[in-house]
Amino acid sequence: MDGMKPSDASLCSLSGRSWNICVELDQMRRLARQLASFPPLLHHEPVMDVISRVLFFVKKHKRIIYPVINILGATYTLVMILIVALINVFHTCPVLYGDDACRFPIMVAAMFFQVCSNLFLIHYAMKINKVSYWTKEGSFLLPKSVRPKIQEACQEGAPLPGNPQLGKFCFECNLNAPRRSLHCPLCDVCVLRCDHHCFLTGACLGIGNQRYFVVWLAWICVGAAYSLKYMTIYMYTFIAPKFVFDYLSFWVPFAFFKWIFGFETFFNVILAALVNSTFWAVSMSSIAIGGQIFFIIKGNNMWDYRKSIKCDGINLKERFELIFGRNWYLNFIFPQFWNRNVMTEEIATNIFLISTKTCRWSLVCM
C-alpha cells in the first residue's frame, strides 16, 4: 500500500472497488512500468494504466485465459502441419511428378503419425511432470532407499518446518516442491526438472514429456525439410521464372505486392508464406534439437544448466535413460510410452533433495 497515492484511495472508494483490488492494480501498474521502462511511449500514465488493467484482467481470469493460450498454440501447430501436408500431397507433388507418384506416400503418413502421436504424448505425459505424481501414483519409479525421504520432503498442505534447503513451498500448488521444480503459470502446475514452456505445443516440458518433445522436433525437422523440397522446386519451376528477379518471389511482401497489382495469384502468395514458414521450421527445429541433445548429454536442462547445478547421472547411459527410458533410440522409430524414466538413487537425490548450496540462486515459484 505504500505505493498508493491519496487520490488513488479516494478514487477506489468512489468507484466502489475494494482496497485489495486497488492495491493489486497499483502493483501491476508499477510492474508494467518496470518491465517497459525504456520505450518512451510507455512512460505516459494513461498507457501504463491500460497495461496494468490488461495484466490485472489476465491475472484475474488466468484459469480461463492460460488454457486457451495453450490450446491456441497447439491448434496453430496442427493446422500449419495439415495445410503444408495437404498442399504438397494434392498439389505441388502431383503437378511436378504426376498423380501416380503422389498418392499419399508412406513417408508422409509416417511423418504425420510421428508428429501427431508425439504431440499428443507431450500433453498426456504432463502428469508425469507433476511433483505429486512422483510421491503418489508414480512413487514406484523412485529408488526404495530414498523414497520415504522424498515423500516426506514433498508433502502437501503446509510448509515443512526445519531445514528449508531441501525444498520450497509453492502456494499455487499448495505443496512442498523440490528446488529443481518450477511452477508454470500457464499450466498451473509445478513441473519437475522443468526445461521450458513451449507455446507451439501448448505444454510445459519436464522430466515426463521431454523425450516426446525431442522426437517431435526431430520429425518436425524431417517433415518440414521434405515439404520444403517440393514447394521450392514448384516455385522455381512455375512461379519464379515469370519475373526477372525470380528469387524475390520467395519473399512474402514482394509476392503480396505482385498479387495486389494483379501479377500473382493469392495461392502463390500463400505458397511463398509457407515456404518461409517451413524454412524457419527446419532451421529452428534443428537448433532446438541440438540444444536439447546438448543438455541431455550434460545431464541438465535449460534452467539447471544456467544455475551450475550438479549433473544428473554419471554417464551417458544414465542420462539418456532418465529422459527416454531404456532403449532410448527406439523412441525415434515408435513412441516408447511404456518405457518409464529410469532414475538411480543418486539422480533421485540430486533432483528431489538438492541443497541451495549447489546453485547460484534458488528457483522460486513464478
Side-chain angles (χ1 to χ4, degrees):
M1 290 188 294
D2 54 349
M4 295 287 290
K5 301 176 182 178
S7 58
D8 292 330
S10 59
L11 181 62
C12 289
S13 58
L14 289 175
S15 61
R17 293 174 178 154
S18 68
W19 180 257
N20 291 334
I21 293 179
C22 289
V23 171
E24 289 192 41
L25 275 172
D26 181 69
Q27 292 175 348
M28 299 296 281
R29 184 185 296 113
R30 286 187 283 117
L31 176 62
R33 186 180 291 113
Q34 292 173 358
L35 294 176
S37 57
F38 69 91
L41 179 63
L42 298 182
H43 288 184
H44 300 287
E45 189 64 26
V47 177
M48 298 311 304
D49 184 66
V50 171
I51 294 176
S52 64
R53 290 177 185 276
V54 171
L55 293 175
F56 178 73
F57 177 83
V58 172
K59 180 181 178 182
K60 183 179 180 181
H61 302 281
K62 64 180 182 180
R63 295 190 180 277
I64 299 175
I65 295 176
Y66 290 167
V68 170
I69 293 175
N70 290 333
I71 293 172
L72 289 177
T75 303
Y76 166 80
T77 302
L78 285 174
V79 169
M80 288 297 294
I81 292 171
L82 186 62
I83 290 175
V84 171
L86 291 176
I87 286 180
N88 282 285
V89 171
F90 295 105
H91 184 73
T92 59
C93 183
V95 172
L96 289 170
Y97 305 107
D99 293 333
D100 295 336
C102 306
R103 290 182 177 177
F104 204 73
I106 297 177
M107 184 64 178
V108 175
M111 290 187 294
F112 194 76
F113 168 77
Q114 287 284 357
V115 169
C116 293
S117 61
N118 280 284
L119 181 60
F120 168 77
L121 289 170
I122 286 172
H123 285 266
Y124 179 78
M126 279 184 64
K127 66 178 183 180
I128 306 177
N129 289 340
K130 296 181 180 180
V131 175
S132 57
Y133 173 85
W134 291 86
T135 58
K136 294 179 181 179
E137 61 263 36
S139 60
F140 65 92
L141 297 174
L142 297 172
K144 293 182 179 179
S145 56
V146 294
R147 188 183 303 166
K149 190 173 183 180
I150 291 174
Q151 290 176 326
E152 180 182 359
C154 300
Q155 293 181 19
E156 298 180 358
L160 289 174
N163 184 8
Q165 287 186 336
L166 294 180
K168 60 188 179 182
F169 188 80
C170 179
F171 289 92
E172 296 289 337
C173 298
N174 194 32
L175 61 80
N176 294 274
R179 292 199 176 274
R180 291 187 64 187
S181 65
L182 190 69
H183 185 87
C184 176
L186 292 174
C187 299
D188 196 24
V189 65
C190 276
V191 181
L192 188 63
R193 209 174 180 273
C194 180
D195 188 82
H196 71 284
H197 182 94
C198 178
F199 287 96
L200 291 178
T201 60
C204 255
L205 306 173
I207 192 171
N209 59 358
Q210 187 179 2
R211 69 165 85 175
Y212 306 116
F213 177 70
V214 175
V215 177
W216 181 78
L217 279 176
W219 282 100
I220 283 288
C221 184
V222 172
Y226 188 76
S227 301
L228 184 61
K229 166 194 168 184
Y230 285 105
M231 290 189 294
T232 303
I233 295 175
Y234 179 89
M235 289 194 67
Y236 266 121
T237 304
F238 298 104
I239 301 175
K242 295 180 180 179
F243 193 72
V244 61
F245 299 108
D246 53 358
Y247 59 90
L248 291 177
S249 298
F250 291 85
W251 189 37
V252 178
F254 184 78
F256 181 75
F257 278 112
K258 285 177 65 179
W259 171 69
I260 290 179
F261 291 103
F263 296 103
E264 196 62 88
T265 64
F266 186 71
F267 173 80
N268 290 341
V269 177
I270 298 297
L271 193 62
L274 291 177
V275 167
N276 285 265
S277 299
T278 51
F279 173 79
W280 281 108
V282 173
S283 305
M284 298 309 296
S285 59
S286 300
I287 295 173
I289 292 171
Q292 290 291 314
I293 298 299
F294 171 80
F295 290 128
I296 293 174
I297 291 175
K298 287 290 185 179
N300 285 121
N301 56 32
M302 187 170 63
W303 278 96
D304 296 342
Y305 186 78
R306 295 166 53 195
K307 296 169 176 55
S308 301
I309 291 178
K310 179 184 176 182
C311 301
D312 295 321
I314 60 176
N315 53 48
L316 290 178
K317 181 175 181 293
E318 289 187 358
R319 293 171 183 178
F320 273 86
E321 288 184 348
L322 173 64
I323 302 301
F324 293 97
R326 292 183 173 87
N327 301 320
W328 62 270
Y329 48 87
L330 295 178
N331 285 276
F332 292 88
I333 301 175
F334 189 87
Q336 307 289 300
F337 53 86
W338 57 87
N339 275 341
R340 304 284 187 171
N341 305 78
V342 179
M343 189 177 294
T344 63
E345 180 180 341
E346 181 183 357
I347 293 177
T349 302
N350 196 39
I351 292 177
F352 288 92
L353 305 175
I354 190 173
S355 170
T356 55
K357 295 179 181 179
T358 59
C359 56
R360 298 180 200 147
W361 62 82
S362 61
L363 299 176
V364 295
C365 289
M366 297 175 64

